[in-house]
């Protein structure tokens, strides 16, 4: 059994941990580095907030970082653009479920934001590979206008050869995933999935996942 001092320390660790979803906890399984980063942020926030520079994430059990050392910037948007109406970018096809599921809502203005691009290296579904990054889902979400701008301005980072690039976004209290691919000469197309969709994406397809880059904030701000 633990002695009194050890119990007190464990209690402090538990109290310091942020509230996380079941999906995030599942992402810690088999990924001790992700859990270690979370504990370090919770217990030593001064170390994580010493600068205002972007912090690159590390590989997870499902995802491998492709954009290490690269600067990928999504410009500021007014938040008024939706994927459902982005025919200027997605010329081949736009999934009607963006409208059917009420995903054609606008957001507020969004600031200039860095992006990180990963590739899937192990079979998994959304509820496995997004949380495997060890961050709350809200930190992994884009506004629809940002997804549009990424695909317009950084098409070179999208997966080709019929495979998709996925982006997490949120409408109300529900999470969705937009998947973008190229339909040959006809251009880009975009489809939408509910985050709860449990279909498995194959690791050997090297589908890509794009998330906002985590930026630390100076202490005292």
């Amino acid at each position: 059994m633990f002695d009194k001092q050890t119990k007190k320390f464990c209690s402090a660790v538990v109290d310091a941990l942020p509230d996380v979803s079941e999906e995030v906890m599942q992402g810690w399984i088999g990924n001790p580095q992700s859990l270690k980063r979370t504990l370090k942020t919770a217990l030593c926030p001064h170390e994580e907030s010493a600068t205002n520079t972007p912090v690159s994430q590390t590989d997870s059990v499902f995802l491998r970082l492709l954009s290490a050392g690269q600067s990928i910037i999504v410009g500021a948007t007014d938040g008024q653009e939706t994927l459902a109406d982005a025919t200027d970018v997605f010329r081949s096809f736009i999934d009607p479920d963006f409208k059917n599921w009420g995903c054609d809502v606008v957001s507020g203005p969004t600031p200039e934001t860095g992006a990180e691009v990963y590739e899937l290296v192990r079979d998994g579904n959304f509820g496995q590979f997004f949380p495997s990054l060890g961050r709350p889902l809200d930190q992994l979400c884009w506004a629809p206008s940002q997804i549009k701008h990424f695909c317009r301005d950084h098409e070179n980072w999208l997966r080709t050869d019929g495979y998709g690039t996925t982006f997490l976004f949120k409408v109300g209290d529900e999470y969705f995933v937009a998947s973008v691919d190229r339909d040959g000469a006809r251009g880009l197309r975009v489809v939408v999935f509910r985050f709860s969709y449990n279909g498995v994406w194959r690791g050997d397809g090297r589908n890509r996942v794009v998330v906002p880059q985590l930026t630390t904030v100076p202490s005292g701000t």
Side-chain angles (χ1 to χ4, degrees):
M1 297 294 291
F2 292 138
D3 59 31
K4 185 175 181 180
Q5 184 176 3
T6 301
K7 288 181 179 180
K8 186 174 181 180
F9 172 77
C10 292
S11 178
V13 170
V14 171
D15 289 342
L17 281 173
D19 292 333
V20 296
S21 66
E22 182 178 349
E23 290 87 356
V24 171
M25 288 189 285
Q26 286 292 326
W28 288 338
I29 298 175
N31 187 13
Q33 289 302 316
S34 173
L35 177 57
K36 182 179 178 181
R37 287 197 305 272
T38 303
L39 288 171
K40 185 176 181 181
T41 300
L43 297 174
C44 307
H46 60 284
E47 294 185 18
E48 296 296 319
S49 57
T51 67
N52 194 30
T53 55
V55 177
S56 292
Q57 300 299 294
T58 57
D59 298 343
S60 79
V61 68
F62 288 96
L63 299 168
R64 177 167 58 206
L65 183 63
L66 293 179
S67 58
Q70 301 292 317
S71 177
I72 307 173
I73 302 298
V74 178
T77 80
D78 62 11
Q80 299 304 296
E81 299 167 289
T82 70
L83 296 175
D85 298 316
T87 55
D88 55 327
V89 174
F90 305 107
R91 294 185 172 88
S92 173
F93 176 77
I94 296 177
D95 193 336
D97 281 337
F98 279 107
K99 290 185 179 290
N100 296 337
W101 293 347
C103 298
D104 56 338
V105 298
V106 299
S107 68
T110 63
E112 184 178 273
T113 304
E116 292 192 328
V117 181
Y118 292 81
E119 66 176 3
L120 191 65
V121 296
R122 176 179 175 181
D123 295 359
N125 58 37
F126 300 140
Q128 293 174 311
F129 60 74
F130 275 106
S132 75
L133 292 173
R135 292 161 56 185
L137 291 182
D138 282 359
Q139 291 185 6
L140 304 177
C141 286
W142 297 98
S145 57
Q146 292 177 303
I147 298 173
K148 174 184 173 178
H149 282 224
F150 182 96
C151 295
R152 182 194 68 191
D153 300 335
H154 302 291
E155 187 176 346
N156 59 304
W157 281 102
L158 299 177
R159 183 71 168 90
T160 57
D161 303 325
Y163 295 96
T165 300
T166 56
F167 303 80
L168 187 66
F169 68 103
K170 188 178 184 181
V171 178
D173 294 327
E174 186 172 3
Y175 296 98
F176 296 89
V177 177
S179 179
V180 178
D181 70 342
R182 171 168 284 281
D183 186 17
R186 290 184 288 184
L188 298 180
R189 58 187 171 191
V190 59
V191 298
V192 62
F193 297 89
R194 296 186 187 277
F195 183 76
S196 57
Y197 172 71
N198 60 7
V200 173
W201 295 63
R202 293 180 58 84
D204 57 12
R206 296 299 188 261
N207 291 283
R208 295 186 178 181
V209 176
V210 181
V211 299
Q213 188 174 49
L214 181 65
T215 303
T216 59
V217 179
S219 58
T221 61

